[in-house]
Amino acid sequence: MRYLPRRMASGLSLARRRPRIAQIMERSAARSAVWALAATSLLGCGGAALRPPAAGAALQPSAAIRWAVGPEQRGEEPPLGYRYLLALPSKVPAGKALGAARPVLPGCFQAMGFLPAPEGDPRFFFLRDGIVHVSRTEAEMPAQLAGNDPALGVTRLLAFDRHASPLELLVAARPGGAQDEQLWLLVIGDRAIQSARLVTEEECFTSQAAFFERYSAPRCLDGGRMCLVPSWDGTASFLDVEPVRGQPPVAFQELGSVPVADAAWAPGGETYYVLVPCPGKSD
């Protein structure tokens, strides 16, 4: 990920600098998700306002990448490094999250990013040098999925199709070293990629609302709400949330001196996961 300077540097506590996350979650749950998404459905790449697309018109793949991953990470592909995956409860006082963390995997693993599978599926998917790996349980270290095509050059794990069976994983990729990222759908079996196909322009998404209606993107809760946004100011790590994707982020947790490479919600939002540097391991 791209580590960004914090936007605020006042001496006020994290709790006073921005609204508390619990208040935001309460307000978010009380509002209509349809109304909230309508306010942001006209956002294009990088958050710039667009004219409403014509009926059936498609937005560029970069828009879907932004919705799934977030604007702070869209400009650069995540770096590879030895990572440790931690699970943290969402309802912990500010600054206390790491004390309540538990490891998800039994050890460190070289990874660029990850996604937890949708509800009812215990798997975790990891990206490593363009290749998708999977951990089938929390006690199992990730292993390369059979059927990976190194020439596809996966750059980011994005989301899961809500209606597909078997599981379909939406990824960004640069096949053959292409200059621009493309959207691909990987059909995932138990331990193998069964097929991969390009998402064509006709299948791209006309709005943010349409994207989150079709896809579950674990960096956000359902409907593109409470999207996790990691940041790093050079000395401290922060995890904020966008109440709705594209809205200004509000404070969630301060994670001390541990840079967060990626973050995603567990199904239901009671827990979230962070991918952090492995102690004693260099990238």
Side-chain angles (χ1 to χ4, degrees):
M1 66 167 289
R2 178 176 57 180
Y3 298 129
L4 300 178
R6 281 297 272 188
R7 292 162 292 278
M8 301 182 70
S10 73
L12 296 178
S13 69
L14 186 67
R16 294 182 60 193
R17 279 208 309 256
R18 292 180 177 174
R20 286 295 303 127
I21 190 64
Q23 298 170 340
I24 297 296
M25 294 186 77
E26 289 173 2
R27 290 201 296 266
S28 177
R31 293 174 180 154
S32 164
V34 174
W35 180 91
L37 284 170
T40 55
S41 63
L42 301 183
L43 291 179
C45 302
L50 297 176
R51 294 180 180 178
L59 296 180
Q60 294 298 315
S62 54
I65 294 172
R66 179 192 180 280
W67 296 331
V69 181
E72 281 78 4
Q73 299 187 51
R74 201 187 124 255
E76 299 176 6
E77 294 166 22
L80 178 67
Y82 284 97
R83 311 294 185 201
Y84 206 49
L85 187 63
L86 300 176
L88 300 90
S90 60
K91 297 178 181 179
V92 173
K96 305 293 186 181
L98 286 180
R102 64 173 178 83
V104 175
L105 301 179
C108 297
F109 179 73
Q110 272 195 305
M112 305 164 73
F114 81 102
L115 282 184
E119 187 169 9
D121 188 331
R123 292 178 291 180
F124 291 84
F125 295 93
F126 296 85
L127 179 60
R128 175 177 177 177
D129 279 339
I131 300 296
V132 181
H133 292 65
V134 65
S135 171
R136 298 178 69 244
T137 69
E138 291 193 4
E140 178 183 277
M141 290 296 290
Q144 180 176 320
L145 280 167
N148 269 284
D149 180 1
L152 182 58
V154 176
T155 56
R156 311 171 201 262
L157 309 181
L158 300 178
F160 301 98
D161 191 315
R162 293 182 182 276
H163 311 295
S165 181
L167 191 67
E168 291 191 2
L169 171 60
L170 182 70
V171 302
R174 298 183 190 271
Q179 180 177 356
D180 297 323
E181 286 177 292
Q182 302 173 1
L183 298 180
W184 285 71
L185 273 171
L186 309 182
V187 178
I188 308 290
D190 185 36
R191 290 184 180 270
I193 298 173
Q194 297 177 352
S195 64
R197 67 175 180 86
L198 177 67
V199 178
T200 64
E201 288 188 4
E202 291 76 13
E203 298 175 286
C204 286
F205 314 102
T206 56
S207 70
Q208 178 171 304
F211 175 80
F212 283 109
E213 182 178 355
R214 177 172 175 179
Y215 286 96
S216 169
R219 295 178 182 93
C220 303
L221 295 179
D222 282 350
R225 301 176 298 107
M226 309 307 296
C227 300
L228 296 169
V229 180
S231 63
W232 169 255
D233 67 3
T235 58
S237 180
F238 302 88
L239 194 60
D240 298 338
V241 295
E242 294 175 335
V244 175
R245 178 62 90 198
Q247 289 185 350
V250 296
F252 182 20
Q253 280 291 348
E254 184 172 354
L255 299 176
S257 60
V258 180
V260 175
D262 203 357
W265 290 102
E270 296 297 317
T271 301
Y272 62 96
Y273 305 105
V274 293
L275 196 63
V276 299
C278 193
K281 287 275 191 178
S282 63
D283 292 351

